[in-house]
Amino acid sequence: MSFVPYSTQDIDEADIAAVAEALRGAYLTQGPAIGRFEEAFAHRHDVPHALAVSNATAGLHIACLALGLGPGGLLWTCPNSFVASANCARYCGADVDFVDLDPRTRNISVAALEEKLAAAAAAGRLPDVVVPIDFSGLPADLREIRALADRYGFKILEDASHATGATYLDRPVGSAFADVTVFSFHAVKIVTTAEGGMVTTRDPQLASRLGLLRSHGITRDPALFEGAPDGPWDYQQTDLGFNYRITDLQAALGLSQLARVEAMQARREALADRYDARLAGLPLRLPARLPDRRSSWHLYVVEIDDERTDVGRADVFATLRAAQIGANVHYIPIHTQPYYRRLGFEPGDFPAAERYYRNAITLPLYPKLSEADQDRVVATLAAALERRA
């Protein structure tokens, strides 16, 4: 019986040829494929500035810095995410707090955010940055969050690591509402560069600062120099930056992948539709479908409905794994991690996120998943849910 992973990369011959061409070229690290990839990504996402970085965590870090977050600052995010969505603030010396999720979308709850902002305004400490996450590829409620940002004065850093190719209000994610948006190109994401990320913004000043921060804070632009250049070889470090650059090899792969993002997303969507149809009668809560946005379907996450079955998540998970099905769980709420508990957070602080986590299982979903393997996943899941604890 073959193993069915929860996700895996989709590499075709065109991708291999693109990387081989880059290997035969003059550049392996900083070369022309990076600029072409950034330009294509910006065009696809309808945004003027796109900067490729070594990974999405790096993108989140320099985005926080570019937005002015530092010691004494405060970032809010949703606990239903990978730890990087919060860690980026800690890298800057800032504090972190969380806003509970909307049980339907599993994204940050606008109602909870509005309530917490009103209390924070009364207490005199509003967040500097709010990080909504497009969990599983479903865009967050960005229009409403933008209205709150304009009212309360915080910046929006959208974590779209799951959402390359997704749309919201008929526009690509990353094109509007957020001040900065970060995407991931990890191996299991919609588009992969093996490891990598992209940061998009409409603000040219933010783009310029992001460009400095990803490359040691160094510029070769004489217009940005302090004093006259020594010669055409000169460069200056004008800020404390990092080596967060992507390579030309990675960019060549990303550019090739981006050319078929629509086809890959269509396949993911078709598989999600099949899951919806085949799982409809089971005691599960399925992913939300909203008419004003299109998910990228990075993940297909179900929740065991504990009001309709007494079979627990651990039993179902074990049954799937025993059947060589690579079920997974996304995510353990960030505030329950030991590091964040040492900062004062406790289980029970964000009950909606914790309830979601107790029942969540990520099922396999990727473009090369066969319908036969998907049917095997469904049959095994159904059999597991028929058992009684």
Side-chain angles (χ1 to χ4, degrees):
M1 184 183 298
S2 61
F3 180 73
V4 181
Y6 90 88
S7 189
T8 188
Q9 65 270 19
D10 185 350
I11 302 296
D12 68 6
E13 291 301 320
D15 296 334
I16 295 169
V19 173
E21 182 180 357
L23 281 167
R24 296 186 184 99
Y27 300 92
L28 294 181
T29 54
Q30 302 303 288
I34 297 171
R36 292 197 298 268
F37 183 34
E38 292 172 332
E39 183 178 353
F41 195 90
H43 177 76
R44 171 64 182 75
H45 288 79
D46 191 22
V47 66
H49 307 286
L51 295 96
V53 290
S54 54
N55 53 65
T57 300
L60 289 167
H61 182 193
I62 62 171
C64 285
L65 291 172
L67 292 170
L69 193 66
L74 177 60
L75 178 147
W76 289 1
T77 189
C78 183
N80 183 34
S81 183
F82 187 58
V83 294
S85 303
N87 288 352
C88 55
R90 302 298 295 159
Y91 300 153
C92 302
D95 295 329
V96 174
D97 202 351
F98 300 95
V99 180
D100 217 343
L101 60 75
D102 178 332
R104 185 184 181 203
T105 66
R106 302 149 177 179
N107 288 329
I108 193 169
S109 166
V110 171
L113 176 61
E114 187 167 14
E115 181 180 354
K116 188 159 185 158
L117 285 166
R125 196 183 186 203
L126 286 160
D128 301 286
V129 177
V130 171
V131 180
I133 296 112
D134 301 326
F135 176 73
S136 77
L138 183 71
D141 296 308
L142 293 162
R143 176 174 53 189
E144 292 80 3
I145 296 170
R146 179 75 264 167
L148 291 171
D150 292 342
R151 187 193 314 174
Y152 287 100
F154 60 82
K155 300 294 186 182
I156 301 174
L157 168 52
E158 181 183 4
D159 187 342
S161 293
H162 294 181
T164 300
T167 58
Y168 176 70
L169 300 177
D170 296 321
R171 293 191 64 183
V173 161
S175 63
F177 300 108
D179 296 281
V180 180
T181 302
V182 175
F183 299 83
S184 173
F185 306 136
H186 182 269
V188 298
K189 294 302 196 299
I190 307 300
V191 164
T192 186
T193 59
E195 186 66 273
M198 192 75 76
V199 187
T200 64
T201 183
R202 299 183 310 280
D203 186 327
Q205 291 184 327
L206 280 176
S208 177
R209 181 149 170 75
L210 288 162
L212 278 174
L213 289 169
R214 73 169 169 181
S215 190
H216 303 282
I218 285 174
T219 181
R220 292 183 180 274
D221 182 357
L224 301 178
F225 282 10
E226 296 181 11
D230 292 340
W233 60 85
D234 203 3
Y235 63 86
Q236 288 188 0
Q237 181 186 344
T238 61
D239 208 334
L240 181 62
F242 307 87
N243 185 2
Y244 283 170
R245 297 172 296 190
I246 200 170
T247 69
D248 223 47
L249 287 177
Q250 293 168 294
L253 175 56
L255 189 58
S256 177
Q257 288 257 304
L258 193 63
R260 55 193 178 92
V261 65
E262 290 293 349
M264 291 192 290
Q265 183 174 353
R267 176 59 180 165
R268 287 176 178 271
E269 199 164 51
L271 290 166
D273 290 344
R274 289 188 89 247
Y275 268 138
D276 279 3
R278 284 156 177 76
L279 298 175
L282 298 178
L284 298 169
R285 286 185 287 270
L286 304 183
R289 301 279 190 145
L290 301 177
D292 62 352
R293 65 201 77 180
R294 181 188 181 198
S295 177
S296 65
W297 292 106
H298 167 55
L299 301 174
Y300 190 93
V301 182
V302 299
E303 295 169 69
I304 297 170
D305 187 344
D306 52 17
E307 295 180 356
R308 293 192 286 156
T309 181
D310 58 1
V311 180
R313 192 261 305 276
D315 290 335
V316 174
F317 189 90
T319 299
L320 289 167
R321 284 293 181 95
Q324 294 296 295
I325 293 167
N328 211 330
V329 174
H330 296 86
Y331 288 99
I332 301 169
I334 300 171
H335 71 282
T336 66
Q337 295 290 348
Y339 173 80
Y340 284 94
R341 292 181 69 172
R342 289 196 294 272
L343 295 179
F345 297 102
E346 297 180 355
D349 285 347
F350 303 98
E354 293 171 40
R355 176 174 171 77
Y356 157 78
Y357 164 65
R358 285 195 298 271
N359 296 304
I361 298 181
T362 302
L363 302 181
L365 180 64
Y366 47 92
K368 290 184 177 179
L369 178 67
S370 71
E371 293 183 0
D373 279 342
Q374 187 182 34
D375 289 342
R376 184 176 130 208
V377 172
V378 171
T380 305
L381 178 59
L385 289 166
E386 287 173 1
R387 299 172 187 157
R388 291 295 176 263

